[in-house]
Structures are given as structure tokens and as C-alpha cells.
Amino acid sequence: MSLRRTVVILGAGLATLLTVVILRAETTRLQSELSLLDSRAAVLWQELRENELELARLRNPALIRARVAQMRLQDSPVDRAAGDTQPPDR
Amino acid sequence: MVVIVLLVAGAGRLAWVECTRGSGLREQAQRQHTATLVVPAQRGDILDTRGRILAGTLRRPSLFVDPSLVEDARFAAHSVAPVLGLNPTELEQIIRTRRDRGFVWVKRRLSDRELEDFLAVRRDRRLRAFVIRQEPQRVYPSGRLAAHVLGFVGAEQHGLAGIEQSLDGVLAGKDGWRVSTVDVRRRRVHSRPADYTPPRDGAGVVLTIDVHIQQRTEYHLRNAVKEFRAHWGTALVMDPQSGEVLAMAVVPAFDPADPIPPHPDAQQREAATQRMRNRAVSDSYEPGSIFKPFIVSCALDEGIIHLDEPYVINGPTRRFGSRTIHDTHAYSTLALHEVISKSSNIGMGLVGARCGNERLHRFVRRFGFGDPTGIRLPGEHPGLVQDFSRWSGYSTQSIPIGQEIAATPIQIITAFSVFCNDGILYRPRIVRGVIGPGGETLADYSRPVAVRRVLDSRTVREFRRRALVEVVRSGTGKPAAIADYQVFGKTGTAQVARPDGRGYLSGAYVGSFMCGAPSDHPRAAVLVSLYRPSAGAYYGSRVAAPTAAAILADTLVYMQVPPELTRDQGPTGAATVSVVVARRDQGADCQHAVTDSQQLITDN
């Protein structure tokens, strides 16, 4: 085997090894990144849920009525007839 | 030679380790670089009839430790415990005694501050055995609203009361799990698809409750319970044309997010248990005079009596065999419709004598008393209708005035709806449907379920128009009159039976009123009951009728039901009610009709 052929074979082997190592490292890095993205998606989903539930809290009729009373708009015919001025319940 | 000896010695050592500790070390290594994580299923939401969230789930951080990975228990415990407000000695003890376990909770549902402090400590001191897990937490955005309907969940997110309990199997879903390769700081590096079982999220439950009607019902009921110092009160609003429960309120209420105070003593626990009872379905009591229409209407339907028939009362007391029946006023003669509108006990005693026990028993059962209604709420009481063999001569006068019988509020409002829908007994419904996590319909319960026809439609219309309307126009229910709509209903004031069943408690009453409107085509039925009011007044006409009317008025306006009375007829006028606005479906026209009519009455 000539020196040149030996060098080529060793070079090819080294390149293959390097490629394998790089691919393996890249796979691990991407897996890790995917894991982080999963976590991020979970956090964002969580934020979405929190916002949905906060919206539900703000749509609570008691809060809406409190706001209506704050604006001095009586909304109930019974309240109107009775001149009800007490603060709305929670 | 030396190298060879060293290699042989090393190989021998390896072989020895492999033989003696190999499997243990392999398991330890496996534990260190893999983690099995439970992926919790999302518990389904509970929604009102228009899709507003009444109960939802958030995820909150909880902390657990893998004791097998803790190298220095004392150091770990004294690092972590102070930032979480825990006792370091106790935590150290837990870590030491549970070395064989891979999982022990340290603290659940950390606050934001605790989480921040813990993460800082873990980063600085490299406490990799302590892991944060996001745990579900049930949230009720409207606070105490409809608490008795919704119920609550325990620490493990299993329903323990209300809809949370009765539909737990639908709401809960099924947890998934994932096996991952993790790095030294327990961060996930790699997961194989084969090692992942996705969670199956719980389905959402849509109720028939409307939050706006519910809120107004609770508001008016709370005021009444407070004003009359009642032990408790309950109010129900039902769509009588379908059996849908639009509101179900019980006062006092509780916070479903925190139903029992932490570390309660026996007294606090008992008080919390009482507060959590959904008395609208779980408590039965003698209905008293609100029971009279059920007997009279059946007797009318069978042609035994007639509404214009005169009854000689000669009150205020009258003997029936060995029993004396009392009226609140001394009436001489009353027509049958007046027996109802003036709530004459003597008149009802005479009706009972005309019918006889056998018929009375049939009438009672026909309206569903003595059977659970089948509403999907836990702990429903069937009420009490004694076996016919135990009925006596007393029953002939007791049953027509609502004694010797017990009924739950849901039974009473369900039976009263028969007078609103031309004679059909519908099964009350509180669940409208079930929707999957993607919004698809899994079950549809929105169609009315008719149990049976109880009365002929002509009998119902005549009885409603001539007897029940008269109750509010000129009878005991006058405080229930409201503008724009002709209310019909019946008052009731019942004595509270002694717990041993012998006689009645002195000065203890249940004041009730059941009503509906508009009288030509009822759109809502309301029942209000106050248990043992103690502020002086106790008659149903005084303690319950105004509250029921207020709830009814708010409900009808919210539902955009067109007004019913003309401008020259007050709500208590004696003239026949005429409809000024043709009935229309909900929509902009109805809103205009309401506004126009309100203007007419105001001008008048």
C-alpha cells in the first residue's frame, strides 16, 4: 500500500469519524433545543390558559355590574324601581 | 510485565465489581440518566350555557425530591426548607427515611416568590435531586358563583362535590407519561417517540346555567336571607318549556377554590359541611301551602271539582273528625279559585275529603313527588311520600295542605313547571352537553326530556289564568306583582317538622313562593324558599314573594321577553290581561318592544 493510499484511507476514516461525531453532537443539540421549545410551548400554553381564565374573571357578572354602577348606569328594572343604590355584590 | 500485571488486576477488579455490584450500579446509572415523567391530562372546563368559563385548570409549580440522588441530606434540607417555609429537621428526616424511593413531595403549589427563591438556591448549591413539576390547579374565575352546582376538587384533582363529582369521569381525562434521557441537571436531552404516551385531556361540560341569571338570583337571595335572618335559603330558576335549570342558588355559599379552612376543628368541619350542602337537591321539607295547586289541578283534571264551585268555609277553624284545621282569616264562603288565591286550609280540607286518599296518593305521585328527578347532581334526595298503607284519616286533610309529605326544591319547581308548559312534566336538566378538547360535541343533552303528561292543556290554562294569576292579583301573592308582566304563583308557609317526626318545632317555618311569567306563555319559573327566618316575618308572601319577583323580573328582562300588560292595566289590575306586543323570538325586535312598552307604562 502506497503512502498516498494510506493517507487517503486514514483521511477518509478520520472524516467519517468526524462526521459521525458532528452528526451525533448536532442530533443531541437539536434534541435539547426541541426539549426547550417543548418547554417554551408549555409555558406559552400556560400563559394562554391564564389569560383565558383572567378574561373569564373579568367577565364575571358581579364585576360588570360593579363597573356599571361605577358609571351610574342602573341596569335592573327592580333596582331602578327601588332606587337601589347599594354597591353591587361580589 | 508490570503493565500486564496492572491490566490483569484491573480486569479482575472489573470482573469482581460486575459480579458483586453490577446490577445495582446499572440500575443506579439508569435512574441517573433517565427520568419517567407523568404528563398530566388537562381537566376539562365547566362552561355556562353561553360558553363562559365557570371552572378551568391552570398549572402551578410543585416541588419533589428524589431521595436516592441526595448526597448530603442535612445540607440539602437546610438549604431548601428555609426558602419554602418548611422545618429543615423534618425535611431531612423525610429524605433519610425514604432513601429507597425515587419520589417524595416537598411542597405543592409554590407561590411565585417561593419558586424564585428555590430556583436561586438550587442553582447556587447544585441540588439536582430537587425537581419542579407543573401540577394542575382548579380555578373558579367567578369565585363563589354557582358554587353548589360546580362543587370542588380535592388535592389530586378528583371531583368531590357538584358537577365536578358527578361528571368526574368525563372531566378528568387520563394522564400520559414520557421516559427521557436527562443530563446531570435533570434537563431532558432526548426522548424516544416509543417512550411517550400522550395524555388524554378531559372533556368540557356545558351547563344550562346562565351566569347572569345565576348572579342576580344569588344577589336577591343573599339579600333576603340577610334581611330575614334565615338559617339558609335556596332559589331556582327554570325554563319551564324545556326543564333547563337556568340558576340554582343556595345561601350561605362557599368558595369552591378553598371549601374547607386549613386544619379545621370539628366545629369548623361541621359548619363547612353544612355550607357545602346543595340544599336545592339534597334537602327536603314539608312544602306547606305551595302544595295546594298540585292537588286542586289534578282534581279539576279528573272533573271531581270545578273552579267556580262554592265552598262553605265558616272559619277560621273547622273540625274534620278529631282534627281541627285553621285558616289565617275567617272566611264564610269561597269559590274554589279563591280557596287557592286566599290559601284556605279549610277549603283544601274539603277538597281532600272530596277526593279521598287513593286519589290524593295518585295525584302526588303523578307530579313526581317521592321519586328523584334525575338531575345530574350528586346527593339528590327523593323526598318523602309515605307508603299508601301508612296513610290515615289525617292524611286526607294533611296532604292537600302540604303536610305529611316532604319535597326538595328541585322537585317543587319541576312540578310547578307543569302549570307553565300546558301540562307536561319534564326532567330537570343542568347539563346541556359535553365537548371534547378540540371543541367537538361528544354528547348532546339539550333536547327536553318529557317524563309524562300530567294534566290536560285546557285544565292547565284555565287553572293558571283563574287561580294562580289571582294569587298575585288579589290573593296572598300580591307582593310578587311586577311591572310589564303578569306573574302567577303560589305562596307557602310551612312549619318545620321535629327531627323525630313527632309534631312541629315551635316558631320555626319555611317561607316559600313559586311563580312564573308571562301568564300567557311562561318563559321562566322561579322558586324561593327561606328556612327558618327569624327576623319576625315568616310568611311566604312576605319573605319569599318579593325576592322571587325580583329574580323573575331580572330574568325576563335579560331574556328579552316582550312585556305583557297594557298601559291602562297595572300589575295588580283585575281586568283580563291582554297582550300588547305580539310574541316574537329573541332579537332586536324584542329589545325594541321592551323599551316601547316600558315607555308606555312610564308615561301612564
Side-chain angles (χ1 to χ4, degrees):
Chain A
M1 186 185 289
S2 68
L3 179 66
R4 186 175 175 179
R5 186 174 287 180
T6 305
V7 168
V8 167
I9 289 170
L10 283 174
L14 189 64
T16 307
L17 281 173
L18 279 172
T19 306
V20 167
V21 168
I22 288 168
L23 281 176
R24 179 72 195 233
E26 194 63 12
T27 305
T28 306
R29 192 184 65 75
L30 287 174
Q31 290 277 7
S32 177
E33 206 162 294
L34 195 63
S35 159
L36 290 174
L37 285 172
D38 270 354
S39 306
R40 179 76 185 137
V43 169
L44 288 173
W45 183 89
Q46 175 68 13
E47 274 177 23
L48 176 68
R49 284 297 297 168
E50 278 177 11
N51 288 332
E52 275 179 353
L53 290 169
E54 176 63 11
L55 184 64
R57 194 185 68 76
L58 292 171
R59 289 173 75 186
N60 177 355
L63 277 184
I64 294 171
R65 285 178 193 283
R67 182 78 181 129
V68 168
Q70 220 173 27
M71 295 160 70
R72 297 181 181 281
L73 296 171
Q74 288 172 322
D75 62 332
S76 154
V78 178
D79 293 348
R80 190 168 55 236
D84 187 1
T85 53
Q86 59 183 306
D89 56 321
R90 281 300 310 271
Chain B
M1 187 65 192
V2 173
V3 171
I4 290 171
V5 169
L6 285 174
L7 283 172
V8 169
R13 169 70 179 164
L14 281 176
W16 184 79
V17 168
E18 172 60 32
C19 291
T20 55
R21 299 165 53 199
S23 59
L25 288 172
R26 259 195 302 278
E27 273 178 28
Q28 192 178 344
Q30 183 76 5
R31 273 208 307 272
Q32 283 175 347
H33 68 246
T34 63
T36 303
L37 296 174
V38 174
V39 185
Q42 175 79 16
R43 190 176 174 83
D45 291 344
I46 301 178
L47 312 167
D48 90 334
T49 191
R50 296 197 182 190
R52 306 174 188 106
I53 299 175
L54 293 170
T57 299
L58 278 179
R59 297 213 170 133
R60 297 296 308 163
S62 291
L63 177 64
F64 73 88
V65 63
D66 181 349
S68 65
L69 297 179
V70 177
E71 289 161 8
D72 185 343
R74 185 174 171 75
F75 172 74
H78 281 78
S79 299
V80 170
V83 298
L84 301 177
L86 301 173
N87 185 331
T89 315
E90 283 178 14
L91 182 58
E92 183 187 344
Q93 190 69 15
I94 289 169
I95 294 171
R96 282 190 196 285
T97 54
R98 301 187 187 175
R99 282 274 185 204
D100 55 329
R101 296 194 191 179
F103 183 99
V104 175
W105 282 118
V106 177
K107 188 169 186 180
R108 304 179 80 169
R109 298 189 182 95
L110 308 184
S111 67
D112 291 343
R113 181 64 192 267
E114 286 172 334
L115 178 65
E116 199 179 315
D117 291 348
F118 165 74
L119 290 177
V121 167
R122 188 175 69 171
R123 193 171 49 245
D124 294 344
R125 305 189 183 185
R126 297 173 183 273
L127 302 169
R128 61 192 174 87
F130 290 84
V131 182
I132 291 288
R133 173 187 286 184
Q134 295 293 330
E135 270 205 300
Q137 182 183 14
R138 204 61 167 161
V139 175
Y140 301 89
S142 297
R144 292 168 179 244
L145 194 77
H148 291 91
V149 175
L150 300 177
F152 57 90
V153 297
E156 300 300 328
Q157 301 294 297
H158 293 301
L160 299 179
I163 290 291
E164 297 273 28
Q165 180 187 356
S166 62
L167 292 173
D168 190 52
V170 173
L171 288 162
K174 193 174 178 192
D175 290 346
W177 50 271
R178 183 202 305 271
V179 179
S180 303
T181 306
V182 292
D183 67 8
V184 70
R185 292 167 68 180
R186 310 295 290 171
R187 290 177 306 193
R188 184 154 52 94
V189 174
H190 173 61
S191 298
R192 284 179 302 173
D195 290 335
Y196 175 61
T197 304
R200 185 164 51 78
D201 286 344
V205 173
V206 183
L207 303 182
T208 59
I209 297 285
D210 187 294
V211 290
H212 284 275
I213 299 175
Q214 179 74 26
Q215 193 269 339
R216 292 315 281 174
T217 304
E218 290 188 9
Y219 171 73
H220 292 302
L221 181 66
R222 199 162 40 237
N223 288 346
V225 168
K226 190 176 168 189
E227 182 183 350
F228 297 107
R229 294 207 298 272
H231 285 207
W232 52 263
T234 179
L236 284 155
V237 183
M238 181 176 272
D239 176 354
Q241 307 300 333
S242 67
E244 288 190 351
V245 177
L246 304 176
M248 179 182 280
V250 180
V251 172
F254 66 95
D255 183 357
D258 187 19
I260 301 176
H263 314 298
D265 56 30
Q267 200 176 354
Q268 284 174 320
R269 186 176 290 277
E270 176 58 22
T273 307
Q274 289 300 319
R275 251 199 326 274
M276 289 186 292
R277 279 182 77 91
N278 185 352
R279 298 181 187 279
V281 298
S282 301
D283 280 24
S284 62
Y285 48 85
E286 286 195 350
S289 292
I290 53 172
F291 202 70
K292 291 171 182 170
F294 302 121
I295 299 298
V296 170
S297 59
C298 282
L300 279 173
D301 201 49
E302 296 199 356
I304 302 165
I305 52 178
H306 302 282
L307 276 174
D308 291 317
E309 206 175 319
Y311 281 76
V312 180
I313 306 294
N314 287 339
T317 60
R318 180 158 176 167
R319 287 188 73 80
F320 289 86
S322 60
R323 180 171 189 187
T324 304
I325 300 280
H326 303 265
D327 271 347
T328 53
H329 295 85
Y331 302 115
S332 55
T333 303
L334 293 175
L336 182 61
H337 57 89
E338 292 172 316
V339 168
I340 290 292
S341 65
K342 297 186 187 308
S343 202
S344 166
N345 291 334
I346 297 172
M348 288 306 297
L350 295 168
V351 170
R354 285 277 291 278
C355 295
N357 281 359
E358 202 171 312
R359 282 201 189 100
L360 290 175
H361 186 261
R362 201 174 66 240
F363 296 166
V364 168
R365 299 290 294 163
R366 204 194 281 184
F367 273 99
F369 293 107
D371 294 324
T373 62
I375 194 167
R376 300 183 74 161
L377 284 171
E380 187 188 0
H381 194 272
L384 177 66
V385 177
Q386 297 204 66
D387 189 82
F388 187 62
S389 61
R390 299 185 64 186
W391 284 37
S392 65
Y394 267 60
S395 309
T396 313
Q397 273 73 47
S398 296
I399 295 292
I401 59 174
Q403 294 181 344
E404 274 190 39
I405 188 171
T408 60
I410 189 69
Q411 283 179 322
I412 295 170
I413 191 72
T414 303
F416 179 72
S417 293
V418 168
F419 301 134
C420 308
N421 63 29
D422 291 350
I424 297 169
L425 182 73
Y426 284 110
R427 178 179 297 165
R429 288 175 298 116
I430 202 155
V431 178
R432 200 173 164 80
V434 177
I435 52 171
E440 69 279 13
T441 303
L442 300 181
D444 183 359
Y445 306 119
S446 61
R447 297 182 68 176
V449 181
V451 178
R452 70 181 80 91
R453 175 169 282 285
V454 177
L455 300 168
D456 183 78
S457 59
R458 279 169 300 183
T459 307
V460 171
R461 281 197 288 270
E462 189 188 7
F463 182 65
R464 189 171 69 216
R465 185 172 58 82
R466 300 201 52 207
L468 297 180
V469 165
E470 193 176 83
V471 169
V472 178
R473 281 199 180 162
S474 57
T476 54
K478 278 194 275 190
I482 56 176
D484 299 351
Y485 303 101
Q486 178 59 61
V487 180
F488 59 94
K490 182 71 189 80
T491 56
T493 310
Q495 290 173 280
V496 176
R498 296 173 71 93
D500 60 5
R502 294 170 180 275
Y504 294 94
L505 292 171
S506 171
Y509 299 92
V510 182
S512 306
F513 187 69
M514 57 184 186
C515 60
S519 66
D520 63 320
H521 180 67
R523 294 285 303 278
V526 175
L527 169 72
V528 172
S529 287
L530 295 192
Y531 186 80
R532 300 186 69 172
S534 58
Y538 59 85
Y539 282 112
S541 59
R542 173 82 178 86
V543 301
T547 304
I551 293 169
L552 194 55
D554 278 352
T555 303
L556 294 174
V557 169
Y558 175 74
M559 293 169 76
Q560 300 187 349
V561 177
E564 189 185 15
L565 297 176
T566 57
R567 57 181 297 174
D568 54 351
Q569 290 167 329
T572 57
T576 306
V577 175
S578 63
V579 179
V580 290
V581 182
R583 190 179 308 122
R584 301 166 193 164
D585 292 330
Q586 289 186 7
D589 286 347
C590 297
Q591 183 62 56
H592 294 147
V594 170
T595 313
D596 293 343
S597 177
Q598 281 172 346
Q599 188 64 42
L600 282 174
I601 289 173
T602 309
D603 291 343
N604 192 37

